[in-house]
């Protein structure tokens, strides 16, 4: 299912703030001192992002998906092994909205989603000092929801990824990085796996620089433009 609409909000500046907002509007902030992070979920590119985080910050904890998934069992084991090697607490599959997780998140500066499959609620989103960020393998808000690389090919949408601050709306929030791939990626030339792997590799490759810009206080932009929301796969 695909629903489309036009986002009519206008780019505007917001007053400086230490607490990031999660309503999709632009944010201007001073430098963000990030020392302790948490990590939610697992995916191919999430595993790469986790290693970037572990090299850069103290990672307080890492989780798998909300519920154990057979297709991700191999990634779960890799994440668990990485955590054990680095002395990071691995919590396995759990509900990130639980009171225990909200309390854990409140002791961090930032939470990064690496492939978590549950919808996060307001309490967990606002618990970390600087909120929660995620990388979505689609250009937002044009390609929100499930299987963005697949729907991008089927609907001839630009391929790319978006790193953004997570809000209560699915795949929608202030944008830290919007990356657009070359126009010939996908279409009839490439399989969807090639598209996914190409974007995942680029997202991991750029992640350290993206985090550096976040720390430097780069403003987060408005999530603005024509929207398409895909509720399910084929």
């Amino acid at each position: 299912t695909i629903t489309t609409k036009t986002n009519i909000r206008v780019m505007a500046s917001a007053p400086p703030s230490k607490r990031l907002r999660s309503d999709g509007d632009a944010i201007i902030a001073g430098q963000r001192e990030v020392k302790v992070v948490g990590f939610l979920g697992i995916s191919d590119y999430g595993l790469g992002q986790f290693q970037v985080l572990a090299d850069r910050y103290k990672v307080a904890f890492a989780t798998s998906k909300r519920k154990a998934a057979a297709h991700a069992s191999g990634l779960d084991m890799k994440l668990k092994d990485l955590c054990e090697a680095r002395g990071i607490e691995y919590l396995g599959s759990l509900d990130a909205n639980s009171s225990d997780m909200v309390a854990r998140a409140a002791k961090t500066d930032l939470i990064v989603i690496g492939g978590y499959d549950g919808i996060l609620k307001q309490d967990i989103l606002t618990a970390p000092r600087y909120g929660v960020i995620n990388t979505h393998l689609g250009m937002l808000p044009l390609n929100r929801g499930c299987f963005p690389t697949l729907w991008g090919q089927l609907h001839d949408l630009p391929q790319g990824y978006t790193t953004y601050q997570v809000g209560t709306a699915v795949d929608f929030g202030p944008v830290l990085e919007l990356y657009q791939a070359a126009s010939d990626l996908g279409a009839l030339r490439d399989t969807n796996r090639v598209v996914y792997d190409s974007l995942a590799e680029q997202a991991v490759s750029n992640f350290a620089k993206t985090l550096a810009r976040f720390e430097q206080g780069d403003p987060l932009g408005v999530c603005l433009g024509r929207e398409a929301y895909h509720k399910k796969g084929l």
Side-chain angles (χ1 to χ4, degrees), residues 11-23:
M11 179 75 77
S13 295
S17 173
K18 292 184 179 179
R19 171 65 69 179
L20 300 185
R21 299 198 333 249
S22 57
D23 56 7

Side-chain angles (χ1 to χ4, degrees), residues 12 14 43 46 50-51 74 77 90 110 121 127 131 138 143 165 170 178 195 213 224 231:
S43 64
F50 173 80
Q51 293 181 77
M77 292 305 299
Y90 176 69
L110 182 69
K121 298 179 180 179
N143 194 354
Q165 189 201 13
V170 176
L178 183 62
V195 176
R213 291 200 307 275
L224 184 71
K231 295 182 179 180

Side-chain angles (χ1 to χ4, degrees), residues 203-234:
V204 173
S205 176
N206 290 345
F207 194 49
K209 293 180 181 178
T210 301
L211 291 168
R213 291 200 307 275
F214 184 81
E215 290 181 65
Q216 290 165 9
D218 279 18
L220 278 70
V222 174
C223 192
L224 184 71
R226 183 168 64 92
E227 292 188 40
Y229 179 63
H230 306 93
K231 295 182 179 180
K232 60 180 70 176
L234 293 176

Side-chain angles (χ1 to χ4, degrees), residues 9-55:
R9 283 179 297 172
V10 179
M11 179 75 77
S13 295
S17 173
K18 292 184 179 179
R19 171 65 69 179
L20 300 185
R21 299 198 333 249
S22 57
D23 56 7
D25 288 335
I27 294 173
I28 297 176
Q31 287 190 332
R32 307 176 181 103
E33 186 179 29
V34 180
K35 293 184 177 180
V36 181
V37 303
F39 185 78
L40 298 177
I42 189 60
S43 64
D44 296 306
Y45 64 93
L47 196 64
Q49 289 182 322
F50 173 80
Q51 293 181 77
V52 173
L53 293 171
D55 288 341

